[in-house]
Amino acid sequence: MGMEMPEPRLDVSKHRLDELKECKGRLSRQIGEAKQSDSNADRLIDELKQVSDEIKQLQKLLKQQLNETRSAKKWAPGTIEKPPAIANKITSGAITVRSCADDDISAVEAYLAEHPAASVWHLPAVSRFIKDTCGHRARYFCAFDETHNLVGVLPLVQLNSRLFGNFLVAMPYFNYGGVLADNREVTLKLISHADQWRREVNASHLELRFCQDNALGLPQKTDKVVFWLPLPDNVDDLWDSFQPKVRAQIRRGQREMTELSIGGPELLDEFYRVFAVNMRDLGTPVYGKDFFANLLQALEGQAWLVVARINGRAVGCAFLTGYKGRMEIPWASTLRRYNHTSINMSMYWKVLEFAVQQGFDVFDFGRCSQDAGTYRFKQQWGAQPLKLYWDYVLPDGEKLPALNPDNPKFRLMIAVWQRLPVMLTNLLGPHIVKRLP
């Protein structure tokens, strides 16, 4: 590899500066000699002043050129294009849809590996995890063409309770999970079969969680966003891309944080202690410990736990997943009484380091509302907000569901929950939260 050549105008500026410095030195000696011989040095002094002024101007210009060169070469996160959930491929003959059989699993996994919009939550292993851990009914619809090639999938889960209602979601608990298909015809076939199941179980609606607007003509919610950050090849470029304020907060957290571990089930107890307290403080029912234990097992090799400690005490935690070049952080928590330490900033930085070192191309900061404080937290890392499009299949005349914490009827419940002992919320929470999408 040859030596990298400097920018032409930068090279010229440096050459001229060297000439002027030599001239300044020569004039200074001549002025000294003139004074020693009592000769008039006024002309030389005027010439020296002119040279000195030109040196200052050139040094200023050179500094500006150097900054421009560094800025041009500095890595910065680029724009991310959303991968299409519905392709524009031609399929062969009539499309048939049926529930995925055990013999179809390998074909489904191969299809997901090739589909650009597939997420880890589309994996059949996740549907089995929800069914086995939460006790919900789940169906994994597969679409085939007449040559028996798989051309589309739709994982679907039924949530049914007296408190929150009866409905279908693709996929609950997670940000992604709508239809993946080779074309629009396949998509409509899959949705039609899903709606038929909705009617069979008398569910109020079907929710499809997309990351893009697929123009299906369905009612939508678009009030949530996710943040994706493109990752460079090395952590130094990522560090240099941050604003000075972000770097300062990370350094502050690093002074406080004495240890951070990234691993598996061996960290579950510490992870859950922090997570459960934080969920209680937020007024949100907590998943059971078995939820995370079983999810780690279902996603073996594609999921990690993170625990941040101060003086041996776990004060921060996170759950990570990795699939097809994208690392996602679906859950993260820190204990509120340690917020002043900026421990969350140093923990996120270590997680981003880990993502780069593992070779991921994108880091997914997860979901939030556009006016939430977490929106600004995620944005400060240089991540790009991507609007989520959640489509709904509803009976005629029905309104969009309003099952969210901002609904006034849940505010009192949240306020009461925040005052309950953690031991009690850990006991009650898993029975409630598994009914929430």
Side-chain angles (χ1 to χ4, degrees):
M1 182 181 294
M3 183 179 296
E4 184 175 322
M5 298 299 293
E7 294 288 334
R9 68 188 184 117
L10 193 61
D11 192 35
V12 170
S13 299
K14 288 180 178 178
H15 180 70
R16 177 58 179 162
L17 184 61
D18 290 339
E19 288 181 341
L20 289 171
K21 286 180 178 179
E22 289 181 8
C23 181
K24 181 179 179 180
R26 184 174 63 255
L27 288 170
S28 295
R29 290 192 296 273
Q30 290 175 351
I31 290 171
E33 292 171 357
K35 288 182 177 180
Q36 286 181 356
S37 62
D38 293 328
S39 301
N40 191 329
D42 290 347
R43 181 183 62 80
L44 293 173
I45 292 172
D46 288 342
E47 190 175 345
L48 178 63
K49 184 178 182 303
Q50 292 175 7
V51 170
S52 297
D53 289 342
E54 187 175 351
I55 287 175
K56 289 179 181 178
Q57 292 175 0
L58 195 54
Q59 285 175 330
K60 184 178 180 180
L61 176 63
L62 188 60
K63 183 178 180 180
Q64 180 181 343
Q65 290 175 347
L66 283 169
N67 289 335
E68 290 174 356
T69 301
R70 287 168 182 162
S71 297
K73 294 180 178 179
K74 183 179 178 181
W75 179 88
T79 301
I80 293 179
E81 295 293 332
K82 295 179 181 178
I86 302 171
N88 192 26
K89 298 179 181 179
I90 297 175
T91 52
S92 176
I95 305 300
T96 59
V97 175
R98 59 174 170 80
S99 293
C100 177
D102 290 342
D103 292 343
D104 298 322
I105 297 297
S106 59
V108 169
E109 291 177 344
Y111 183 80
L112 296 178
E114 294 297 324
H115 199 292
S119 72
V120 70
W121 312 118
H122 285 94
L123 290 171
V126 174
S127 293
R128 290 195 301 271
F129 151 76
I130 293 175
K131 183 178 179 180
D132 295 342
T133 302
C134 302
H136 298 314
R137 297 176 66 186
R139 296 185 69 179
Y140 201 110
F141 289 105
C142 292
F144 297 88
D145 66 13
E146 68 177 12
T147 62
H148 306 294
N149 287 322
L150 186 63
V151 293
V153 298
L154 172 57
L156 204 55
V157 176
Q158 180 190 13
L159 302 184
N160 188 5
S161 69
R162 292 181 179 178
L163 184 58
F164 302 112
N166 178 17
F167 47 92
L168 307 181
V169 189
M171 290 284 283
Y173 314 138
F174 313 118
N175 298 330
Y176 317 105
V179 176
L180 301 174
D182 281 14
N183 57 45
R184 184 181 179 86
E185 179 191 359
V186 175
T187 301
L188 296 178
K189 283 273 190 179
L190 285 164
I191 293 176
S192 176
H193 276 72
D195 189 42
Q196 181 179 334
W197 188 39
R198 180 192 66 78
R199 293 192 298 269
E200 289 173 0
V201 298
N202 199 30
S204 62
H205 64 268
L206 163 63
E207 180 178 280
L208 303 168
R209 299 186 172 184
F210 290 110
C211 194
Q212 57 285 113
D213 186 359
N214 296 298
L216 297 174
L218 296 172
Q220 285 181 336
K221 285 185 179 180
T222 58
D223 57 326
K224 302 291 185 181
V225 298
V226 289
F227 277 87
W228 288 10
L229 175 67
L231 298 175
D233 294 330
N234 64 80
V235 295
D236 291 338
D237 284 343
L238 184 60
W239 176 263
D240 291 340
S241 73
F242 297 151
Q243 294 294 321
K245 181 180 179 181
V246 171
R247 292 198 294 262
Q249 289 176 320
I250 293 171
R251 290 190 183 101
R252 180 182 179 185
Q254 288 174 328
R255 290 193 294 269
E256 299 283 349
M257 186 173 69
T258 54
E259 187 181 6
L260 182 134
S261 299
I262 300 178
E266 72 279 2
L267 300 176
L268 183 58
D269 288 343
E270 288 180 291
F271 165 89
Y272 194 72
R273 279 197 296 270
V274 174
F275 185 76
V277 170
N278 188 58
M279 289 298 102
R280 189 281 310 270
D281 291 345
L282 292 173
T284 303
V286 67
Y287 294 107
K289 190 187 293 187
D290 64 327
F291 180 94
F292 297 107
N294 294 346
L295 186 56
L296 282 172
Q297 185 175 7
L299 298 179
E300 186 175 3
Q302 297 172 303
W304 303 265
L305 294 179
V306 180
V307 172
R309 305 181 187 90
I310 293 179
N311 297 324
R313 177 181 175 82
V315 300
C317 70
F319 192 105
L320 308 176
T321 65
Y323 183 69
K324 293 179 58 179
R326 186 171 83 239
M327 176 171 279
E328 182 181 350
I329 185 166
W331 299 284
S333 293
T334 54
L335 298 179
R336 286 191 172 186
R337 61 181 175 274
Y338 291 93
N339 283 353
H340 68 282
T341 66
S342 293
I343 190 73
N344 60 329
M345 295 296 292
S346 56
M347 181 178 73
Y348 265 81
W349 165 240
K350 296 303 291 184
V351 166
L352 287 168
E353 272 190 326
F354 179 68
V356 172
Q357 291 162 357
Q358 294 293 310
F360 288 97
D361 302 315
V362 173
F363 187 82
D364 183 343
F365 282 87
R367 183 177 87 225
C368 65
S369 299
Q370 295 192 31
D371 57 350
T374 49
Y375 185 100
R376 293 182 291 275
F377 174 83
K378 295 169 183 180
Q379 190 177 44
Q380 70 183 332
W381 298 94
Q384 176 182 338
L386 301 175
K387 185 182 291 186
L388 294 176
Y389 294 83
W390 290 6
D391 288 359
Y392 291 83
V393 178
L394 304 165
D396 291 340
E398 290 295 321
K399 296 180 180 179
L400 287 170
L403 191 60
N404 63 70
D406 295 327
N407 190 324
K409 77 175 185 178
F410 295 123
R411 289 176 185 168
L412 178 60
M413 296 171 60
I414 292 171
V416 170
W417 196 266
Q418 290 172 318
R419 289 166 173 78
L420 295 178
V422 174
M423 184 178 297
L424 184 57
T425 59
N426 287 358
L427 180 65
L428 300 177
H431 299 287
I432 298 173
V433 74
K434 71 179 182 179
R435 307 294 179 185
L436 291 169

